[in-house]
Amino acid sequence: MSIRIVLFFILTSVIGGGAFAEQDVAIAVREVGDSFVVEATIKAQVNRQTAWEVLVDYDHMTTILSNLTASRVARRNGNTLIVRQEGVARFGLFSYPFQVEREIRLEPMQRILTKNLSGSLKRMESEVRLKPSGNGQPVVIEYRAEFVFGSILAGLFAVSFLNHEVEEQFQSMLAEMKRRDAQLVSGAATQP
C-alpha cells in the first residue's frame, strides 16, 4: 500500500495542528491482525455543545484542519451524512494528495459513527463518543478507529503515522473548540 493510503486514512478518521498538553489527550495505536486500532481520549475544558459543533462542522472543516483543501456535506438524510473531503496529508518529508467519501451517522451530542465509502484504504471505521460532564469537569471525547491498509509498505509506518496524524487532528479541533467556547463566554459576559 502507498503512503497516500496511509494519509487518506488519517483524514477519514474524523479527525490536523500542534502539541497537546499531556492532560488533554492520550493516544494509543496498536496492530491487531491485518488492522490498526487507534484509541484516543481527549479532555476539553469547553461547553459540550461547542465540542459537538466543532466535531460535526464538516462544511467548515478546512478552517479547522490544515491538511484539508475541501470538505462538504454532499448529501444528508436525517442524521446520516455523506461527506466528501480532499487534501494533502504530510508526514515528515512526504506529502500525498487524497480524496475521500465517508458515511457519517450522528447521534446528536452523544456519538458519531464513520465508515469509508471510497478512498485508498481497504477499510476504515471510527466512533467518537462525548461523555457527559458537569460541575466544571471537562468534556471527555473518546475516539476509536480501525484501519485496514492495502499494502505492506503502509503497514510498516502505520503506527507512527497514525499516532502523529490523530494527535495533530485532535489538537487542531481542541484549539477550535477553545476558540469558539471563549467567544461564547465573552459574548455572554457582555450581554445585560
Side-chain angles (χ1 to χ4, degrees), residues 163-176:
N163 191 60
H164 172 266
E165 290 299 313
V166 171
E167 181 177 2
E168 187 174 282
Q169 289 177 7
F170 279 119
Q171 289 172 358
S172 293
M173 294 185 102
L174 182 60
E176 178 64 11

Side-chain angles (χ1 to χ4, degrees), residues 138-151:
V139 173
V140 175
I141 301 164
E142 293 179 348
Y143 172 77
R144 185 181 193 286
E146 186 172 343
F147 302 90
V148 178
F149 297 100
S151 80

Side-chain angles (χ1 to χ4, degrees), residues 7-166:
L7 295 172
F8 162 79
F9 133 71
I10 289 178
L11 288 169
T12 62
S13 64
V14 123
I15 342 271
F20 249 44
E22 280 185 17
Q23 68 273 17
D24 292 337
V25 68
I27 298 174
V29 181
R30 68 187 195 293
E31 190 172 355
V32 179
D34 66 344
S35 66
F36 292 86
V37 175
V38 178
E39 295 177 316
T41 302
I42 298 86
K43 295 179 182 176
Q45 291 285 351
V46 299
N47 175 291
R48 187 173 181 189
Q49 180 73 34
T50 301
W52 177 262
E53 288 173 1
V54 170
L55 290 169
V56 300
D57 194 0
Y58 301 107
D59 285 329
H60 299 100
M61 201 59 70
T62 58
T63 64
I64 301 169
L65 301 180
S66 63
N67 55 357
L68 288 179
T69 57
S71 180
R72 69 181 181 89
V73 175
R75 199 165 63 238
R76 180 184 299 266
N77 182 9
N79 285 330
T80 301
L81 313 174
I82 302 298
V83 173
R84 294 189 181 128
Q85 296 178 324
E86 297 177 24
V88 178
R90 293 177 175 79
F91 185 59
L93 299 174
F94 302 102
S95 65
Y96 300 93
F98 66 89
Q99 293 181 341
V100 62
E101 182 175 77
R102 301 181 291 158
E103 177 186 83
I104 300 171
R105 290 185 300 143
L106 305 175
E107 295 176 17
M109 301 294 293
Q110 295 178 34
R111 189 164 78 146
I112 304 165
L113 299 169
T114 301
K115 72 177 178 178
N116 273 6
L117 298 177
S118 66
S120 302
L121 293 170
K122 282 175 92 174
R123 182 170 56 93
M124 187 293 263
E125 296 180 5
S126 69
E127 177 180 22
V128 174
R129 287 185 176 271
L130 269 70
K131 296 293 187 179
S133 63
N135 299 328
Q137 296 297 313
V139 173
V140 175
I141 301 164
E142 293 179 348
Y143 172 77
R144 185 181 193 286
E146 186 172 343
F147 302 90
V148 178
F149 297 100
S151 80
I152 294 173
L153 178 61
L156 294 175
F157 301 102
V159 171
S160 297
F161 180 73
L162 291 174
N163 191 60
H164 172 266
E165 290 299 313
V166 171

